[in-house]
Amino acid sequence: MTFAGRKDIAPDMGRLLLALPRDSIVVFSWTVSEYDGLGFVTAENGDEKAGGKESRRRIRGGEEGRDVVSLFFPSEKRQDVLELIDALKAEGMSLELLREEEPDFPHGAKTEDNPEEFDSI
């Protein structure tokens, strides 16, 4: 269920595409944003770049009013994000994980293991 990372976000950011009821998007986004450094949520507009067929889907399996959102997160927060999603599901929020895009670390990426690659100010 994982795919290569996107080129239009920071290379250390992962992305989850999630389907959830339209009336839960604000609560979901607010919940994610309240955890400092956990990530951020954007609603998808249905173009190919945003996620293809999954992003255009507004009715799935007879369930009306479900939209697709992206949850972007730093790679080191992946486990925390998955735990939050599990907790929200346990509390009754209807979330469906459609796809995961892993961080895309290019060759020679700037990391703590490669400090000489950091830009000087």
Side-chain angles (χ1 to χ4, degrees):
M1 184 184 280
T2 60
F3 293 85
R6 291 174 41 166
K7 304 294 183 218
D8 59 342
I9 62 172
D12 66 337
M13 296 290 279
R15 175 182 166 198
L16 297 178
L17 275 170
L18 301 156
L20 67 157
R22 194 169 300 136
D23 60 359
S24 297
I25 292 174
V26 172
V27 172
F28 179 68
S29 179
W30 179 82
T31 302
V32 171
S33 69
E34 286 301 302
Y35 287 89
D36 288 336
L38 187 63
F40 63 94
V41 174
T42 62
E44 295 300 337
N45 61 8
D47 61 13
E48 286 297 319
K49 185 175 166 186
K53 292 183 284 187
E54 294 93 350
S55 294
R56 288 190 300 269
R57 180 174 51 194
R58 295 183 74 91
I59 301 172
R60 182 174 193 280
E63 296 179 66
E64 291 192 36
R66 292 176 64 84
D67 281 328
V68 175
V69 298
S70 287
L71 193 166
F72 294 94
F73 57 92
S75 58
E76 66 271 6
K77 297 289 186 176
R78 181 180 183 273
Q79 189 59 42
D80 294 333
V81 166
L82 295 176
E83 288 174 10
L84 175 62
I85 290 170
D86 286 343
L88 291 172
K89 282 182 172 182
E91 291 180 11
M93 186 177 281
S94 176
L95 292 167
E96 178 187 0
L97 178 60
L98 300 174
R99 186 169 81 200
E100 179 176 359
E101 293 179 1
E102 296 176 344
D104 184 26
F105 293 104
H107 178 67
K110 301 171 188 176
T111 66
E112 288 182 16
D113 297 332
N114 232 356
E116 67 278 357
E117 294 294 325
F118 281 98
D119 293 331
S120 59
I121 297 177

